Amino acid sequence: MDDANAFPRDGLILSAATTGSWTTKAQNPAVPITVEEIATAVMACARAGAAIAHIHVRDDAGLVSCDPARYARVRSVVEAAGCDVIINMSTGGGAGQTTDEERLAPVALAPELASLDCGSLNFGSRVFVNSPDFLLALSRRMLKHGVRPEIECFEPGHVWNALRLIDDGLLRPPYWFQFVLGVRGGSPPTVKQLVHLVEMLPPGAHWSVCGIGRAQLPLGLAAMAMGGHVRTGLEDNVYYHRGELATSNAQLVERLVRIAGELGRPVATPAQTRRLLDLPAQPVGD
Ligand code: ZN
């Protein structure tokens, strides 16, 4: 944004979070679970206007997995189809369902982006542990493989942790933050909380927001007006309207594209997003 007193007109980066660690077909039959389903959903979201696809993978039983081979297959199916989208691999691993070593493994695939959860929290009925040692190991691993971290913050303490990693040279600009609001144990999903988190960011940081459940759309609209970017998808919310399931991930992306158009914020392409986040012009694989 050139003028801090004007509404933002710059490109809106849309991320699609298709699957997550927990959502099931019982909750919404449109949740993609297999490698092929995830790749198909990613491509549909890219066609709809998402520049970034945030992906998780599942095992044959549909449970969260960090298997690098499955991550690699999703990416290769998308690339083989000629679909241009920035792949953001999750290192979340489902709170307590996988070891730290398993969570680190996908980083060796050198995805353009990978998530870096910047602290621990209660996560519904579970505990999501991201120890200081794990943050050091993960940020070092990302530096080694040239992976841009998506710095996920669920509450202000996580931003504070990120600032320490920045001070220590373990996170390098341009910084890309993702605020996840509405997990019980993290920040409540309100505009007031979002403003507070944005105010903590270092100069020049880029940020996006994902609201959980019914907060997904209102927080996305707030971010659009504030100059931030937006994540949507069935990982965070399985509904389109209250009581009405979304029919696909792409349907949620399409709604944001329509609203962004009405607001006069064009949707950023993958190429524009790579320039903003200083990602290599071409995806780097193994
Ligand atoms: Zn995720």
Side-chain angles (χ1 to χ4, degrees):
M1 186 174 10
D2 294 323
D3 179 353
N5 296 307
F7 281 114
R9 314 287 292 184
D10 54 329
L12 176 72
I13 299 170
L14 294 181
S15 292
T18 59
T19 303
S21 298
W22 302 106
T23 46
T24 65
K25 285 187 185 294
Q27 291 172 293
N28 184 328
V31 174
I33 299 293
T34 67
V35 163
E36 290 71 24
E37 287 173 347
I38 294 167
T40 299
V42 164
M43 292 188 282
C45 289
R47 284 193 298 273
I52 298 173
H54 168 76
I55 60 172
H56 293 239
V57 291
R58 304 287 184 91
D59 65 15
D60 289 340
L63 301 176
V64 64
S65 165
C66 299
D67 181 2
R70 288 175 189 252
Y71 274 114
R73 277 169 49 211
V74 172
R75 181 172 63 183
S76 65
V77 170
V78 171
E79 286 180 356
C83 176
D84 187 20
V85 65
I86 295 164
I87 298 288
N88 170 12
M89 294 183 183
S90 174
T91 65
Q97 303 305 297
T98 47
T99 66
D100 284 359
E101 272 310 311
E102 288 172 316
R103 294 174 58 189
L104 292 168
V107 178
L109 297 171
E112 291 193 89
L113 287 171
S115 60
L116 192 155
D117 295 295
C118 244
S120 304
L121 73 159
N122 285 359
F123 200 103
S125 59
R126 296 174 287 269
V127 181
F128 187 25
V129 176
N130 293 283
S131 71
D133 282 347
F134 179 69
L135 296 186
L136 292 176
L138 182 54
S139 51
R140 286 188 180 124
R141 191 78 64 102
M142 290 202 197
L143 281 176
K144 177 181 168 191
H145 292 282
V147 177
R148 172 76 58 206
E150 177 166 286
I151 306 163
E152 284 196 356
C153 296
F154 293 74
E155 50 104 330
H158 295 179
V159 182
W160 206 17
N161 284 340
L163 296 176
R164 168 63 63 85
L165 293 173
I166 288 170
D167 284 346
D168 291 346
L170 292 166
L171 298 177
R172 295 182 185 163
Y175 311 115
W176 173 242
F177 282 81
Q178 185 71 253
F179 297 124
V180 185
L181 300 188
V183 171
R184 200 164 287 270
S187 284
T190 66
V191 173
K192 192 172 181 178
Q193 295 286 336
L194 178 59
V195 169
H196 175 57
L197 289 161
V198 170
E199 285 176 346
M200 293 180 71
L201 294 180
H206 304 290
W207 61 272
S208 172
V209 71
C210 71
I212 303 300
R214 70 186 65 169
Q216 185 177 64
L217 184 60
L219 282 183
L221 302 194
M224 284 189 202
M226 291 167 64
H229 304 277
V230 184
R231 173 171 125 178
T232 190
L234 297 175
E235 170 172 350
D236 306 323
N237 165 44
V238 296
Y239 290 98
Y240 191 78
H241 293 300
R242 187 173 185 182
E244 176 189 337
L245 293 174
T247 57
S248 67
N249 278 286
Q251 184 194 30
L252 295 169
V253 175
E254 288 162 0
R255 173 162 62 180
L256 292 180
V257 172
R258 281 197 304 275
I259 295 169
E262 294 290 336
L263 277 177
R265 275 195 77 179
V267 172
T269 64
Q272 290 166 336
T273 304
R274 288 186 181 103
R275 280 197 292 278
L276 190 74
L277 302 183
D278 193 24
L279 305 175
Q282 296 295 320
V284 179
D286 265 349

